Amino acid sequence: MTKHLLLLPGDGIGPEVMAEVERLIAWFNVHGGTKFETDRDVVGGASYDKHGTPVTEAAMKKALEADAVLFGAVGGPKYASAPYDKRPEAALLRLRKDLGLFANLRPALCFDALKESSTLKPEIVAGLDIMIVRELTGGVYFGEPRGITNLPNGERRGVDTQVYDTHEIHRIARVAFELARLRKGKVASAEKHNVMTSGLLWKEEVTKLHAAEYKDVELTHILADNCAMQLVRNPKQFDVIVTDNLFGDILSDEAAQLTGSIGMLPSASLGARDSNGKQRALYEPIHGSAPDIAGQDKANPIAAILSFAMCLRYSFAMKKEADLVERAVSGVLDQGIRTGDIMQPGKRQVGTKDMGSAVLAALDTIQR
Ligand code: IPM
Ligand code: MG
């Protein structure tokens, strides 16, 4: 069975971290049963520079046809003043929308070797393992009307619309409940029902679905601002957090930092399974393009590597192989090998390529 992967390295450190993922794919092509075939294309600023658009129709077609998309990062200061539809980020939003990737899974897992590198006390983060389930194709990111208009009084008005329909809430809550069943059985649903009607609908619909189908899962409702506070106060109270697109964007960055570095965290964006069993999916590190360190062999490739592990787990049901990659990463950290973002006194600092090599060496060792 050959799996077709589309690689979209993008901008900044995207190509560097993707290069390490490609070495990992090559390793599995030699050592595993499943074969991976890769295609690649430009996206984001790289695409804009080459084609005048952040994502071409040809790249979109490849993404729709691939078994999974591996995404690097997009964006950079050069594009900061471009109109929204030409910005690198527009590529990511279009991919999410056109591929129907409504469920964004963002695990925040603190590796034991890194508990000292969090800005929080080690006892607060040691053993942390939470999963943020972020709605990804709705809410204020896509709601209409939106835009800037000129008012008769000479002022300007900016409008974005937060909007959710029942089915959007049900399908994302379902993902959260199903995941919780495989974990510690707890879901916290975060919204702002105290001020937002879309939040009230969210709370009511999650409650209904829970009562009808998921009574075995423990459900709590939490206001999104309180959730932000609880994440730094006592993050281990959470198992799965389900929330909307905007709150999920914010809470997942916050959760990432608990684990020591945003350079460590992967993500999966999943669509619905179609009648042929095919589920569209895109995997990306949650860090951005980090233009300040791009091209200097400084970036941490672990988030991209762990994103490939999520791809093995969720797109191809290759649990054994996904576990293997995660154990290899954990082993490398236990050996004291660190990129700059997670460097600690007494450890050995390496660059992007050497970190990639260390993970491959650890895979060889475990495999033997
Ligand atoms: C993320 C990013 C994106 C978002 C940007 C790049 C559009 O912050 O994936 O969290 O806001 O969703
Ligand atoms: Mg974000």
Side-chain angles (χ1 to χ4, degrees):
M1 268 287 270
T2 302
K3 307 290 186 196
H4 298 274
L5 302 172
L6 175 65
L7 312 186
L8 297 173
D11 308 323
I13 60 171
E16 291 168 75
V17 298
M18 190 63 81
E20 300 315 310
V21 174
E22 288 188 74
R23 293 171 72 199
L24 188 59
I25 295 170
W27 190 93
F28 275 104
N29 275 340
V30 174
H31 294 90
T34 308
K35 294 284 173 233
F36 297 101
E37 247 175 43
T38 58
D39 192 358
R40 58 162 61 229
D41 213 322
V42 287
V43 72
S47 172
Y48 182 76
D49 291 343
K50 194 166 168 198
H51 303 293
T53 172
V55 61
T56 62
E57 297 312 312
M60 283 305 303
K61 184 161 177 286
K62 285 188 208 172
L64 285 161
E65 284 165 3
D67 291 319
V69 179
L70 304 181
F71 192 92
V74 290
K78 189 173 154 193
Y79 314 99
S81 53
Y84 273 117
D85 61 330
K86 298 285 182 209
R87 282 198 198 168
E89 290 80 2
L92 190 53
L93 297 179
R94 168 127 189 245
L95 281 159
R96 288 173 180 171
K97 194 70 178 176
D98 288 13
L99 269 60
L101 308 175
F102 69 88
N104 186 212
L105 277 42
R106 298 189 162 190
L109 198 133
C110 184
F111 285 90
D112 212 48
L114 293 186
K115 58 176 190 261
E116 307 284 341
S117 53
S118 174
T119 43
L120 269 71
K121 295 188 188 114
E123 64 268 27
I124 303 288
V125 295
L128 180 75
D129 178 3
I130 58 189
M131 176 70 89
I132 298 198
V133 177
R134 169 188 177 192
E135 200 291 324
L136 202 60
T137 51
V140 77
Y141 273 64
F142 297 98
E144 300 281 349
R146 61 185 287 138
I148 298 179
T149 50
N150 294 313
L151 299 179
N153 67 2
E155 286 198 30
R156 298 197 303 151
R157 173 174 291 163
V159 175
D160 292 286
T161 302
Q162 165 81 343
V163 49
Y164 274 107
D165 293 354
T166 315
H167 79 275
E168 295 175 287
I169 300 168
H170 284 194
R171 68 182 178 181
I172 193 69
R174 201 176 280 288
V175 170
F177 288 133
E178 296 286 344
L179 279 169
R181 278 183 177 163
L182 303 172
R183 298 170 47 96
K184 294 182 205 116
K186 294 200 298 183
V187 170
S189 169
E191 32 60 18
K192 283 280 292 176
H193 73 268
N194 53 346
V195 282
M196 297 167 73
T197 53
S198 59
L200 182 60
L201 184 79
W202 182 284
K203 183 178 180 198
E204 288 176 359
E205 292 303 330
V206 171
T207 304
K208 269 193 225 162
L209 181 68
H210 176 253
E213 294 178 43
Y214 294 100
K215 279 220 185 83
D216 54 306
V217 177
E218 184 189 321
L219 170 67
T220 51
H221 300 280
I222 184 164
L223 293 172
D225 54 345
N226 184 28
C227 185
M229 187 271 278
Q230 295 296 340
L231 270 173
V232 285
R233 194 184 75 87
N234 175 21
K236 283 186 265 182
Q237 69 185 284
F238 294 112
D239 178 20
V240 175
I241 297 175
V242 63
T243 189
D244 76 14
N245 206 342
L246 183 62
F247 293 141
D249 182 43
I250 297 166
L251 295 174
S252 63
D253 262 33
E254 188 189 7
Q257 179 54 29
L258 300 175
T259 69
S261 167
I262 199 164
M264 294 292 300
L265 290 195
S267 78
S269 303
L270 308 175
R273 217 167 269 289
D274 70 15
S275 48
N276 303 318
K278 177 166 170 151
Q279 182 177 37
R280 295 223 165 83
L282 178 148
Y283 299 86
E284 58 170 321
I286 91 156
H287 61 68
S289 57
D292 53 320
I293 57 163
Q296 301 170 39
D297 193 41
K298 282 186 180 164
N300 184 350
I302 291 180
I305 287 170
L306 292 175
S307 296
F308 182 64
M310 287 189 90
C311 173
L312 295 171
R313 190 179 301 283
Y314 292 101
S315 280
F316 305 133
M318 295 168 68
K319 181 181 179 309
K320 206 174 87 235
E321 290 82 354
D323 288 346
L324 192 65
V325 175
E326 286 164 6
R327 273 171 57 208
V329 167
S330 178
V332 166
L333 296 172
D334 289 342
Q335 291 164 45
I337 300 173
R338 301 278 188 276
T339 42
D341 57 313
I342 50 175
M343 187 55 192
Q344 296 160 282
K347 305 295 179 197
R348 185 156 75 85
Q349 187 166 341
V350 299
T352 312
K353 293 196 187 98
D354 285 349
M355 181 56 96
S357 303
V359 172
L360 294 180
L363 281 172
D364 283 332
T365 310
I366 303 173
Q367 185 83 337
R368 235 179 268 127

